Amino acid sequence: MTFRQARYDEPLLWEVRDPVEERPGVTALPGVPVGLLRKHPVAWPELSELELARHFTRLSQMNFGIETAFYPLGSCTMKYNPRVAELLSRREALLGAHPAQPEETVQGLLELLYELEGALGKITGLPHVSLQIAAGAHGEFIALLMTRAYFEDRGEVGRTEVLLPDTAHGTNPASASMAGFTSRELATEHGLIRARALRDQLGPKTAAFMLTNPNTAGLFEEEILEIADEVHRAGAILYYDGANLNGILGKTHPGKMGFDVAHLNLHKTFGTPHGGGGPGDGALCAGERLADYLPVPRIRREGDRFRWDYDFPRSIGKVKTAFGNVGLLVRAYAFLLAYGESGLTAVTERAVLNANYLARRMGELLPRPFSPLVKHEFLLSGAPLKARGVRTLDLAKRLLDEGVHAPTVYFPALVEEALMVEPPETESKRELDLFFEAFRRSMEDRPENLHAAPRNLSVGRVDEVKAARDLLLSWKDLRDRRPPAPGN
Ligand SMILES: *Cc1c(COP(=O)(O)O)cnc(C)c1O
């Protein structure tokens, strides 16, 4: 099977509207004071319902999503977002709720959030939970602000450094820097942190060590208990980047490993939409050391009533408008209920099986650094393709022509020409086999074709640097840059 994306040259709505002067003028509505009427018609597109329906249907067919085909983006856990969670989050009572509504009128919602906090506290082994976190990187930033407040309270203001491994996600050093710390990278050995090497780097300047486990090479940090001991002996905080929780759900948890605080990416592990499909969402789970510093308000239960509690004098304060991305929290809660405790363990077992199956097959095509057995994701090196003048980037673009999303590429940087593949539990063996065949076809294609890819999509290869540096953020920007169409 290959997938052909629809290739429309779909104009912007602004470009299909009739010229202003051909449209009827604005008519006065009875009772509207003349002074309030517009002097000129608004430059809005005027389209029929059918034109509008076609426009958005075509746009949707130019898009790629988890419901189009396999989406093996490593570290991102692109799993199916169950319909049941969508349905529940769209209930009328919830859609109409307002953050300023009196607590008595949102008791059901508060109870749901309270229950969700309890479930996440249990899953992580870190019982104090804030749901005010927008996503993973936000969780890192907030936890580091909490870490700073914690050390300031203790008079340990010399703790200015955050350590992280060379397998760390780019958001880790970025968050450290935003929170006012300097960060330093530690070299891994065969993809793993060695406790002894870490010990030499820890000291009175260390505020925190940030780690994800399993790490971004898909490997479980075997020395995690020694690592936790070393970090704590040095007086520092051990931070868990929860992006890879899909590799250990129900089997173990960060609390048991000795972590002090953890962020969860609800959009990765707990099936809420992300990427183009949704805004992402997070949670921050803390043990006793940092619990007092969590954002306010927190939900307090009094008998069978629930209320927002602002009375945490050490808290770093409120960190997000409203009370978090509530619609996504409801989806995550529905996901948890739908799977249940044993279902979550099965999620991890299936994800790990999928990863090892695909790793074994793809390992016949490209070399795999590090240990052959992985948790939920694995790395390949595209370095051997360089002999044919082909790079990992070409292979990733060529895969798009096969109708699948590319894996994560060039991360982590310690693997040359890296590809990082994550097949979550919601993929079947059939899909994995189809992907394997698509990957093999792509690899074996002629170099010219690889260089020219993608050729079947609505857009070809874009200049990624220019795309990031030279932003066109609105229709007006675009109109001002484009040469006028002939006849206009
Ligand atoms: C995705 C990810 C993050 C950042 O999370 P966001 O929700 O995208 O902000 C951090 N660390 C790792 C390992 C990740 O995969």
Side-chain angles (χ1 to χ4, degrees), residues 197-487:
L198 173 64
R199 184 197 310 163
D200 298 339
Q201 304 297 324
L202 290 161
K205 282 173 72 179
T206 317
F209 181 51
M210 300 177 85
L211 191 62
T212 177
N213 194 19
N215 64 28
T216 58
L219 305 179
F220 191 85
E221 295 284 354
E222 297 159 5
E223 297 185 8
I224 186 59
L225 295 178
E226 293 88 326
I227 290 170
D229 281 348
E230 294 296 350
V231 170
H232 292 149
R233 202 168 297 143
I237 293 288
L238 185 57
Y239 181 85
Y240 186 76
D241 173 337
N244 293 334
L245 199 72
N246 224 48
I248 57 161
L249 267 180
K251 296 286 176 185
T252 181
H253 57 55
K256 217 181 254 182
M257 298 180 216
F259 284 90
D260 297 296
V261 58
H263 85 242
L264 300 182
N265 307 65
L266 300 180
H267 49 279
K268 295 181 182 175
T269 317
F270 301 105
T272 73
H274 66 143
D281 199 15
L284 201 59
C285 308
E288 302 309 322
R289 271 175 100 192
L290 290 183
D292 289 349
Y293 298 87
L294 281 167
V296 283
R298 289 167 63 184
I299 304 168
R300 183 184 287 282
R301 178 180 197 148
E302 285 165 354
D304 57 358
R305 311 302 294 163
F306 299 86
R307 65 176 182 86
W308 293 115
D309 187 353
Y310 283 85
D311 191 18
F312 290 88
R314 291 210 159 99
S315 163
I316 61 159
K318 194 163 191 286
V319 299
K320 178 138 179 25
T321 52
F323 302 109
N325 290 339
V326 170
L328 290 165
L329 296 172
V330 174
R331 285 175 177 83
Y333 185 64
F335 182 94
L336 284 174
L337 288 189
Y339 277 79
E341 235 170 272
S342 61
L344 290 183
T345 310
V347 161
T348 281
E349 287 171 358
R350 181 58 188 257
V352 171
L353 181 64
N354 273 358
N356 282 287
Y357 173 72
L358 199 53
R360 194 58 181 272
R361 294 207 70 188
M362 293 180 79
E364 293 161 15
L365 304 177
L366 285 176
R368 292 182 48 213
F370 316 130
S371 150
L373 268 183
V374 289
K375 289 284 177 271
H376 64 301
E377 65 189 7
F378 59 94
L379 288 169
L380 296 161
S381 169
L385 302 174
K386 287 206 302 197
R388 289 165 56 213
V390 171
R391 302 199 54 204
T392 281
L393 182 69
D394 303 316
L395 184 54
K397 298 293 183 192
R398 175 63 181 74
L399 272 171
L400 304 182
D401 280 338
E402 294 281 343
V404 285
H405 199 280
T408 296
V409 294
Y410 298 103
F411 171 69
L414 74 157
V415 172
E416 194 187 358
E417 295 288 316
L419 290 134
M420 185 202 268
V421 183
E422 178 177 4
E425 71 283 357
T426 42
E427 296 303 327
S428 64
K429 177 171 177 296
R430 179 172 175 272
E431 287 291 335
L432 301 184
D433 289 337
L434 286 171
F435 174 69
F436 175 79
E437 293 307 332
F439 193 86
R440 195 210 325 251
R441 265 196 305 279
S442 303
M443 254 186 73
E444 290 171 355
D445 201 357
R446 303 210 315 270
E448 311 85 274
N449 291 344
L450 278 140
H451 294 147
R455 293 183 297 178
N456 295 335
L457 307 190
S458 308
V459 280
R461 202 174 290 203
V462 292
D463 180 339
E464 286 169 21
V465 176
K466 189 170 155 57
R469 296 261 164 85
D470 193 11
L471 297 176
L472 289 177
L473 295 178
S474 71
W475 171 70
K476 282 185 187 150
D477 286 350
L478 183 71
R479 181 194 55 188
D480 297 346
R481 296 288 182 89
R482 254 191 202 172

